Amino acid sequence: MEKPRIPPEEAHRIASLYATKLLGTGPEEAFDRITRLTARLLMAPMAVVSLVGKDTQWFKSRTGTELRETGRDVSFCGHAILTDEPLVVPDAANDPRFSDNPLVTGGPGIRFYAGVQLHSVDRMKLGTLCIMDTRPRTLSSQELDDLRDMARLVEQQIYHRQLAMAAQELQRELDVEPGALRLPAAGQVAYLLNHDMLTGLANRPALVRAIQTGIAGWRERGEHAIVASINLDRFKRLNELLGHRAGDEALVAITRSLQDKLRDGDMLARAGSDEFIVLLGDAGDDNEARALLDRLLKAVNRQIVSGDNEIAITCSIGYARYPDNGDDADALLTSAALAMRHAKSLGGGVVHQFSSDLRHELGRRLTLESHLRRAAEHGELFLQYQPKIDIRNGGGASAASGPIAGFEALVCWQHPEYGLIRPDEFIPIAEETGLIVPIGEWALRTAVAQLAAWREEGLPGIPVAVNLSARQFLQTEVVALVGELLGASTVDPGTLELELTESVSMTDPVASASIMRRLRELGVTLSIDDFGTGYSSFSYLKRLPIDKLKIDKSFIIDMTQSAESLAIVQAIVAMAHRLHLVVVAEGVETADQVAALRKAECDQIQGYYYSRPLRAEDCPAYIRAHGAALPAPSRPAAAA
């Protein structure tokens, strides 16, 4: 058994732990609620808030175990606090550090462990929030993110507890010497109340007070102040690839860059993990304000490099102007946040001002979110099927010709009040709320049932592609679901195609490849969607058991106008064929695009040039008009 080492900063760490006054204390519902929720969320029999003391680890909160403490020498958490990344042990019995640990060989018989470090306000590691199991298992990247989020809740609880204790100490001092403030206690309370611990910036409550204080002066002087919300684009991706320590370092560096661009009297605050708020007391006219915000936008932009990984950091800025977009702190902050969300929806990296239309959009979004929860139950969701045409076997002469190679199933929503809702409007809502999982399962079941129905009509076995979301792919038993649906139907497995975006496959490459192999064993076809917009490389794709690759429509739209886009498409097709992959181009709308894709030797085409998405009842006629029975999709021969 490997005993955990003592970290170099142990004296400082122990002092920070004692300062929390948590070590050796009894259960508290605020902490117990978090461990219960963590155990349920991650389906773990045991969840613990562990504090690593000088010789022991103390379980401040525990679910699923009667242990209250153990020796530090046998603690998994003692190892976890030696690193900046979460510690995950898939099978302790096969890990030389823990295989003969008494917690593994005896009670409670730990086989699986995952722990995320808990930090004090001065960034010392106090212990972990961890989950344990008596059987080996793995943890997906999304599950690890969930564990990180729950650990942040524990840290916030520790922070608020310390704040309360500091306030009580201050009150005791005032009771002893009424009217006198002892600087240590008073300073600690003031700092905790008004500052962010990581960056040293003012926090949101301090900013709100500054806005409220400033309003009277702005009104009197006729000044047009600006409140701007700055949100980092894809910051979660940085934490996933480089770790939370690198993320914290990036936040501190971005803070310094933003501060360098501000004028005397401006205020910068941190409002969330990846959100800053700027208060510009007198921003001048629209052009002056926009110029200053553009400088802040550019100040954030940077490349974060760690080893072989490189992440581009940009931001989205939404702003509100006093008094045009709000005349109190709450209205200005809300308006700025709405404008920021709209800026992110435009793809990020832009500055956008609040307008009244955004409030209407928010109301509509909240309504759609509420109604989407019952849309499938009320029969409002349905599938449409967009044809894919084979252009390497005679297709493409006109918009009315070409043998059919398959369909893509698209989820549509017929809202009783708003009418037909576009997928690009409600699918992001479904993804953000988690509704994409039940909707994705409904779509998969419906598509398989439709394949079976067409088979019973005597139609040839035309493949149908169904999109899998990241949540559905990595967080659910998707392999079991697909196996169940195929086992209960007469559908040829090769006619069911599952599409994954390349960013999904890169979220957890090892887990993704494993799930893909299990799906391939069921006989289904696998496709990477939207290729060219994410992080994949052909060397990575070579390791995935996939059959098809779909070129993102953004390249197709530009390929007849941009030599660069055309060269990219040609290169993707050539490299994909070397990997024996079928290549599909989506978003094809013109004859010139078809001609360019035919010249590039693309295999299949999907888009309005051939057909808009069809209702299920219109597909049989289309199938009969555009080709006989087709074999299951296969990879083309390797290029010479």
Side-chain angles (χ1 to χ4, degrees):
M1 181 185 74
E2 182 181 318
K3 294 182 179 181
R5 293 178 287 103
I6 301 300
E9 68 279 7
E10 178 72 355
H12 187 179
R13 193 191 70 80
I14 291 293
S16 297
L17 176 58
Y18 286 153
T20 67
K21 298 183 179 179
L22 286 169
L23 197 64
T25 60
E28 295 180 41
E29 176 59 23
F31 290 99
D32 292 345
R33 187 181 301 115
I34 296 173
T35 52
R36 290 196 300 267
L37 180 57
T38 301
R40 288 200 301 270
L41 180 66
L42 298 173
M43 294 181 288
M46 293 175 279
V48 168
V49 172
S50 169
L51 303 174
V52 180
K54 184 175 181 295
D55 300 308
T56 64
Q57 69 168 345
W58 175 260
F59 296 158
K60 172 61 184 174
S61 177
R62 64 193 194 280
T63 295
T65 177
E66 294 301 317
L67 287 176
R68 299 181 68 88
E69 65 178 309
T70 75
R72 180 173 177 173
D73 59 339
V74 299
S75 70
F76 285 66
C77 302
H79 290 271
I81 64 170
L82 299 174
T83 177
D84 294 320
E85 289 302 309
L87 175 64
V88 179
V89 182
D91 188 354
N94 291 329
D95 190 313
R97 294 172 296 177
F98 307 107
S99 58
D100 57 347
N101 188 306
L103 298 179
V104 177
T105 58
I110 297 170
R111 293 291 297 277
F112 167 81
Y113 169 93
V116 172
Q117 298 82 358
L118 301 172
H119 295 87
S120 64
V121 293
D122 54 351
R123 304 305 294 169
M124 288 290 104
K125 299 186 183 82
L126 306 175
T128 73
L129 171 67
C130 62
I131 57 173
M132 296 171 286
D133 204 330
T134 56
R135 61 182 179 84
R137 58 176 283 191
T138 57
L139 204 64
S140 71
S141 61
Q142 183 59 55
E143 288 173 325
L144 192 54
D145 272 347
D146 291 339
L147 186 58
R148 284 190 177 108
D149 290 341
M150 301 308 292
R152 301 294 83 79
L153 291 179
V154 176
E155 287 179 348
Q156 289 172 19
Q157 186 59 40
I158 295 173
Y159 166 84
H160 291 307
R161 195 177 186 276
Q162 285 187 271
L163 178 59
M165 289 190 299
Q168 290 169 0
E169 176 63 24
L170 176 60
Q171 186 60 52
R172 283 194 293 270
E173 292 180 0
L174 290 173
D175 290 341
V176 172
E177 295 185 55
L181 282 180
R182 291 187 180 178
L183 291 178
Q188 184 182 17
V189 171
Y191 193 84
L192 288 170
L193 281 172
N194 294 289
H195 290 82
D196 169 61
M197 292 297 102
L198 175 64
T199 62
L201 293 174
N203 58 20
R204 187 183 180 94
L207 180 83
V208 169
R209 289 194 296 274
I211 296 173
Q212 291 169 336
T213 301
I215 285 176
W218 303 336
R219 184 185 300 117
E220 182 179 332
R221 295 186 295 271
E223 293 176 348
H224 294 278
I226 292 288
V227 174
S229 175
I230 304 175
N231 188 270
L232 304 183
D233 301 323
R234 296 174 294 278
F235 187 70
K236 180 180 176 183
R237 185 69 182 166
L238 177 99
N239 282 330
E240 288 174 347
L241 288 182
L242 305 185
H244 283 261
R245 182 173 184 176
D248 287 348
E249 291 173 352
L251 287 170
V252 172
I254 288 168
T255 296
R256 304 296 172 255
S257 297
L258 289 171
Q259 288 175 318
D260 288 344
K261 300 299 180 183
L262 295 179
R263 310 162 302 173
D264 291 341
D266 294 337
M267 183 177 183
L268 178 64
R270 186 182 179 206
S273 64
D274 58 356
E275 184 178 356
F276 299 87
I277 299 177
V278 176
L279 172 59
L280 308 175
D282 183 9
D285 60 25
D286 284 340
N287 290 334
E288 292 174 298
R290 190 61 179 251
L292 178 53
L293 293 172
D294 282 339
R295 289 199 293 273
L296 296 178
L297 185 83
K298 292 174 183 175
V300 171
N301 294 349
R302 66 198 58 224
Q303 298 287 330
I304 305 294
V305 179
S306 178
D308 295 331
N309 294 309
E310 183 174 342
I311 302 294
I313 296 294
T314 60
C315 70
S316 300
I317 300 180
Y319 70 98
R321 177 182 286 273
Y322 172 86
D324 302 338
N325 306 137
D327 57 4
D328 60 36
D330 184 62
L332 288 167
L333 287 167
T334 300
S335 297
L338 288 173
M340 178 271 292
R341 289 174 193 156
H342 186 71
K344 290 187 78 70
S345 73
L346 297 175
V350 297
V351 178
H352 194 81
Q353 184 177 3
F354 173 81
S355 68
S356 57
D357 291 343
L358 294 181
R359 199 173 299 280
H360 173 73
E361 288 180 17
L362 176 63
R364 175 182 168 94
R365 188 192 186 286
L366 292 174
T367 299
L368 291 181
E369 179 180 327
S370 173
H371 291 183
L372 187 57
R373 297 181 184 278
R374 45 85 167 165
E377 298 175 5
H378 290 196
E380 297 170 12
L381 298 182
F382 63 96
L383 292 184
Q384 286 189 326
Y385 300 85
Q386 184 164 39
K388 301 177 188 177
I389 300 299
D390 184 345
I391 63 169
R392 297 199 71 181
N393 292 302
S398 72
S401 65
I404 187 169
F407 291 105
E408 179 180 0
L410 304 172
V411 181
C412 302
W413 183 11
Q414 187 67 41
H415 191 278
E417 178 183 351
Y418 296 137
L420 188 63
I421 309 294
R422 301 188 314 274
D424 60 2
E425 182 176 8
F426 75 84
I427 291 298
I429 296 175
E431 289 175 339
E432 290 177 21
T433 59
L435 293 171
I436 195 66
V437 172
I439 290 174
E441 180 175 336
W442 169 86
L444 193 55
R445 290 183 180 277
T446 303
V448 172
Q450 188 61 68
L451 276 168
W454 288 339
R455 182 185 180 97
E456 291 176 4
E457 287 185 47
L459 292 169
I462 302 297
V464 171
V466 181
N467 289 279
L468 295 182
S469 70
R471 286 177 183 257
Q472 190 179 10
F473 181 66
L474 291 171
Q475 297 182 32
T476 67
E477 293 295 331
V478 66
V479 179
L481 174 61
V482 172
E484 171 204 327
L485 294 176
L486 293 175
S489 73
T490 58
V491 169
D492 177 358
T495 60
L496 177 61
E497 182 177 322
L498 302 178
E499 289 190 357
L500 306 160
T501 63
E502 60 171 319
S503 58
V504 169
S505 65
M506 283 293 290
T507 299
D508 188 340
V510 175
S512 296
S514 174
I515 295 171
M516 287 180 182
R517 281 191 290 271
R518 291 162 60 199
L519 288 169
R520 279 291 298 276
E521 289 171 0
L522 295 175
V524 301
T525 301
L526 297 179
S527 174
I528 295 294
D529 196 10
D530 298 337
F531 186 80
T533 61
Y535 304 91
S536 295
S537 66
F538 280 102
S539 61
Y540 169 71
L541 290 179
K542 188 175 181 179
R543 299 195 295 270
L544 294 179
I546 59 174
D547 305 281
K548 290 187 176 183
L549 183 151
K550 292 184 74 174
I551 305 174
D552 184 70
K553 62 183 178 183
S554 61
F555 296 108
I556 306 304
I557 291 171
D558 293 340
M559 65 182 298
T560 57
Q561 306 296 326
S562 165
E564 182 182 14
S565 292
L566 177 59
I568 291 173
V569 170
Q570 291 171 334
I572 290 175
V573 173
M575 292 299 295
H577 282 173
R578 287 188 178 274
L579 296 178
H580 301 212
L581 301 177
V582 172
V583 183
V584 183
E586 57 183 340
V588 179
E589 298 183 354
T590 69
D592 287 344
Q593 290 169 349
V594 173
L597 289 165
R598 183 191 294 279
K599 186 175 181 180
E601 297 187 333
C602 183
D603 302 295
Q604 299 173 9
I605 280 179
Q606 175 184 342
Y608 285 3
Y609 179 76
Y610 285 102
S611 174
R612 290 179 176 272
L614 305 172
R615 293 266 187 171
E617 56 268 26
D618 297 324
C619 290
Y622 193 93
I623 294 171
R624 293 187 179 98
H626 291 81
L630 296 176
S634 60
R635 301 181 180 186

